């Protein structure tokens, strides 16, 4: 009778973990629009505030693995919940810029530890035939969390100090996750014997053969040092190659940047008003949710390899198509965050798709570093950054246009003329209408890219990572790969505009297409199929193969 409650609670923990993660990633875009006015933030300060989450998460991926392996997955999630509650309170009550930075770093640390611990905990908690579904639920939670943050950004945009509510509302799902996990047993991997009370409840999740096998040959947990990740013992080096290959290809296929052009592409096919562009970016978010649900349904049927390879093929075709169409109908580019007072305050590093160049100098809605953070390097963070950026840029423009809000908040630096100019279509109009068919092809390619990412690399990378390492080093191995994902994401986001200056937009996307083809070959050669196998069987399969 214990099996069903354990299954439902595992699902709840996974979903809430993802929801909190996505929410914290997405909420900063709306909050920043108010914070820059309330705290008179320069571009540089905005970059620091946005990067604070990334710094906290990077720290967590360096030390979180030790916490997860030493003290258990369940305790790591409980601790991360407490840290997240503290971070949310610091943000909600913040009176100074330093308070905001400390709060965001704390939140970044907590969601990074939680993301790693949740995936590992749930993968160990459930039976082989349900693992794909329940670990992928985390990714679904992230996409829903991002959509929720968009909605709340919109609701609280006109409220005085609305950012306090935005940050404070994260407390509710965190408290719910904390309570859910209190009712779950201690991590089964840490139990010394198959006969313990908890295990009796959990073993019912598995089929009779699994149970008989488990009783016949009890699984002996081995102990590993961190350096074993790079040694040939038990094929650990091969596992590390698989893990690093997946997280790096997840970034180098271009997902942190492809969606940065979403709003431009929406404008080109006729979404001229701001509200329709916001709806369109939310629509992309909804496509992502649906695609993730498809991945959840098929993870245990089609298998991880099949979904990864199918997703990669579609992504490669999509970015190649965008690259080819942009050769004929080029998209304009503008560097963002030019502060009115001091144009040299910061070096802009990512694009600001929707703001017309004329109004860029007037208000600096979102800093370049936001790009680096948005596609977090924990499970699933992919494509979240860019969607958030699209939403933020459209919303920031609405803030500029809403004259009552401008007066209420005392937003300086905008003359009446600037405000009126901003309402027109941001891009001249003539070039777009010439290439309407190509623009629609580009838009459909981008939708295909989002869907393919959310079916393949989005959820499957983290599912495979939570399966391929032995229990004794799973936390540290996951954290090691996670830190590379953060670093690669930061590198891709920061180097994007410089690369475009050097080789051009279309060549950049064709390069992403080539990386997609290489990713397919890598997955075909190195990534094993793990569906339907217990974690012990996967471990033994790796240990046998050289």
């Amino acid at each position: 009778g214990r099996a069903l409650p354990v299954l439902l609670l595992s699902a709840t923990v996974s979903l809430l973990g993802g929801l909190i993660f996505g929410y914290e990633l997405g909420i900063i875009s709306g909050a920043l629009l108010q914070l820059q006015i309330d705290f008179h933030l320069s571009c540089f300060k905005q970059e620091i505030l946005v990067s604070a989450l990334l710094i906290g998460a990077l720290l967590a991926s360096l030390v979180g693995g030790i916490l997860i392996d030493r003290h258990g997955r369940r305790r790591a999630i409980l601790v991360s919940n407490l840290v997240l509650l503290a971070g949310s309170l610091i943000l909600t009550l913040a009176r100074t810029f330093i308070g905001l930075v400390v709060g965001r770093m704390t939140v970044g640390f907590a969601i990074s530890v939680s993301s790693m611990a949740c995936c590992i905990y749930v993968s160990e908690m459930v039976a082989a035939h349900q693992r794909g579904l329940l670990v992928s639920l985390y990714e679904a939670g992230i996409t829903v969390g991002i959509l929720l943050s968009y909605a709340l950004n919109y609701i609280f945009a006109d409220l005085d100090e609305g950012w306090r509510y935005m940050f404070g509302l994260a407390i509710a799902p965190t408290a719910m996750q904390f309570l859910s996990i209190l009712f779950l047993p201690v991590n089964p991997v840490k139990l010394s014997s198959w006969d313990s009370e908890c295990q009796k409840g959990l073993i019912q999740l598995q089929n009779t053969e699994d149970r008989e096998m488990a009783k016949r040959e009890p699984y002996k947990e081995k102990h590993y040092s961190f350096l074993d990740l790079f040694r040939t013992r038990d094929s650990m080096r091969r596992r590390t190659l698989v893990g690093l290959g997946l997280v790096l290809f997840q970034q180098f296929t271009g997902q942190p940047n492809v969606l940065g052009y979403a709003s431009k592409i929406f404008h080109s096919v006729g979404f001229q008003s701001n509200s329709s562009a916001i709806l369109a970016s939310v629509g992309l978010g909804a496509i992502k949710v649906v695609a993730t649900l498809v991945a959840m349904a098929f993870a245990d049927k089609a298998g991880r390899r099949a979904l990864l390879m199918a997703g990669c093929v579609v992504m490669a075709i999509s970015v190649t198509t965008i690259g080819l169409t942009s050769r004929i109908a080029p998209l304009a580019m503008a560097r963002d965050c030019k502060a009115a007072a001091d144009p040299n305050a910061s070096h802009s590093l990512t694009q600001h798709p929707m703001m017309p160049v004329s109004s860029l100098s007037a208000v600096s809605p979102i800093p370049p570093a936001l790009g680096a953070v948005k596609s977090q390097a924990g499970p699933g963070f992919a494509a979240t950054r860019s969607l958030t950026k699209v939403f933020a840029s459209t919303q920031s423009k609405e803030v500029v246009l809403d004259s009552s809000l401008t007066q209420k908040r005392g937003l300086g630096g905008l003359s009446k003329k600037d405000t009126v100019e901003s309402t027109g279509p941001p891009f001249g109009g003539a070039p777009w209408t010439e290439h309407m068919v190509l623009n629609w092809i580009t838009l459909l390619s981008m939708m295909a890219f989002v869907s393919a990412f959310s079916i393949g690399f989005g959820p499957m990378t983290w599912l495979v990572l939570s399966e391929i390492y032995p229990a004794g080093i799973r936390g540290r191995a996951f954290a090691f790969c996670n830190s590379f994902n953060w670093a690669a994401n930061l590198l891709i986001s920061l180097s994007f505009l410089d690369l475009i200056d050097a080789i051009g937009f279309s060549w950049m996307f064709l390069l992403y297409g080539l990386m997609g083809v290489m990713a397919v070959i890598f997955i075909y050669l190195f990534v094993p199929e793990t569906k339907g196998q217990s974690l012990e069987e996967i471990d033994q399969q790796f240990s046998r193969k050289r």
Side-chain angles (χ1 to χ4, degrees), residues 171-443:
I171 290 170
T174 309
M176 283 166 66
Q177 190 188 29
F178 186 87
L179 292 173
S180 302
I181 205 160
L182 286 178
F183 294 102
L184 277 170
V186 181
N187 192 334
V189 168
K190 294 287 170 209
L191 298 171
S192 52
S193 127
W194 281 89
D195 298 324
S196 109
E197 274 308 302
C198 287
Q199 197 60 38
K200 280 179 189 162
L202 284 171
I203 213 80
Q204 293 162 12
L205 291 175
Q206 291 158 350
N207 60 33
T208 342
E209 285 171 42
D210 283 350
R211 212 174 313 165
E212 288 310 311
M213 234 175 78
K215 281 177 187 163
R216 261 202 322 278
E217 37 174 304
Y219 180 68
K220 295 176 194 67
E221 186 181 319
K222 298 174 188 170
H223 293 282
Y224 296 89
S225 73
F226 179 73
L227 290 175
D228 284 332
L229 282 176
F230 312 101
R231 294 183 180 136
T232 50
R233 174 193 174 190
D234 291 339
S235 295
M236 289 302 286
R237 195 185 291 165
R238 179 165 171 258
R239 301 179 206 224
T240 306
L241 173 75
V242 170
L244 285 181
L246 285 174
V247 295
L248 292 174
F249 274 120
Q250 187 190 49
Q251 299 299 325
F252 290 139
T253 43
Q255 65 78 21
N257 295 319
V258 170
L259 293 186
Y261 289 92
S263 53
K264 263 191 190 168
I265 293 166
F266 286 132
H267 268 270
S268 71
V269 293
F271 291 99
Q272 291 299 339
S273 74
N274 292 311
S275 53
S276 62
I278 288 177
L279 279 176
S281 61
V282 170
L284 267 188
I287 290 171
K288 191 169 162 48
V289 173
V290 172
T292 309
L293 294 176
V294 171
M296 281 169 54
F298 287 102
D300 291 313
K301 293 187 179 78
R304 288 62 156 152
R305 253 173 78 92
L307 289 179
L308 276 167
M309 287 173 70
C312 272
V313 168
V314 175
M315 281 165 69
I317 294 169
S318 306
V319 282
T320 305
T321 308
I322 294 173
L324 293 171
T325 53
S326 65
R327 285 188 75 76
I328 306 163
L331 294 175
M333 278 288 304
R335 291 178 181 252
D336 65 351
C337 194
K338 304 276 196 297
D342 178 12
N344 303 319
S346 80
H347 299 289
S348 299
L349 292 158
T350 46
Q351 63 280 17
H352 197 303
M354 277 211 33
M355 295 284 286
V357 182
S358 65
S359 64
L360 281 175
S361 54
V363 60
S364 52
I366 205 144
L370 184 56
V373 182
K374 277 297 162 272
S375 147
Q376 211 279 340
F381 329 114
T384 62
R385 168 192 76 101
S386 344
L387 280 173
T388 310
K389 192 197 293 178
V390 173
F391 182 80
S393 54
T394 52
Q395 208 182 21
S396 60
K397 201 156 148 215
E398 293 232 321
V399 170
V400 176
L401 299 178
D402 184 341
S403 56
S404 63
L405 183 62
T406 307
Q407 286 157 12
K408 184 167 75 181
R409 297 199 154 274
L411 174 57
L414 273 178
S415 66
K416 183 95 171 130
K417 181 168 162 287
D418 285 332
T419 315
V420 174
E421 271 179 11
S422 300
T423 55
F427 306 99
W432 297 124
T433 43
E434 283 173 40
H435 301 294
M436 189 53 80
V437 175
L438 287 177
N439 293 335
W440 274 102
I441 292 171
T442 310
L443 178 67

Side-chain angles (χ1 to χ4, degrees), residues 34-41 94-97 100 163:
Q34 299 188 359
L35 290 170
Q36 68 179 10
I37 300 160
D38 290 358
F39 287 85
H40 309 291
L41 299 182
R95 293 263 171 250
T96 62
F97 174 67
L100 290 170
W163 56 270

Side-chain angles (χ1 to χ4, degrees), residues 20-28 53 84 88 104 107 111 170:
I20 297 161
F21 198 104
Y23 182 81
E24 290 291 1
L25 285 182
I27 203 67
I28 188 68
L53 185 106
L84 187 57
S88 299
R104 284 300 279 177
V107 164
I111 61 174

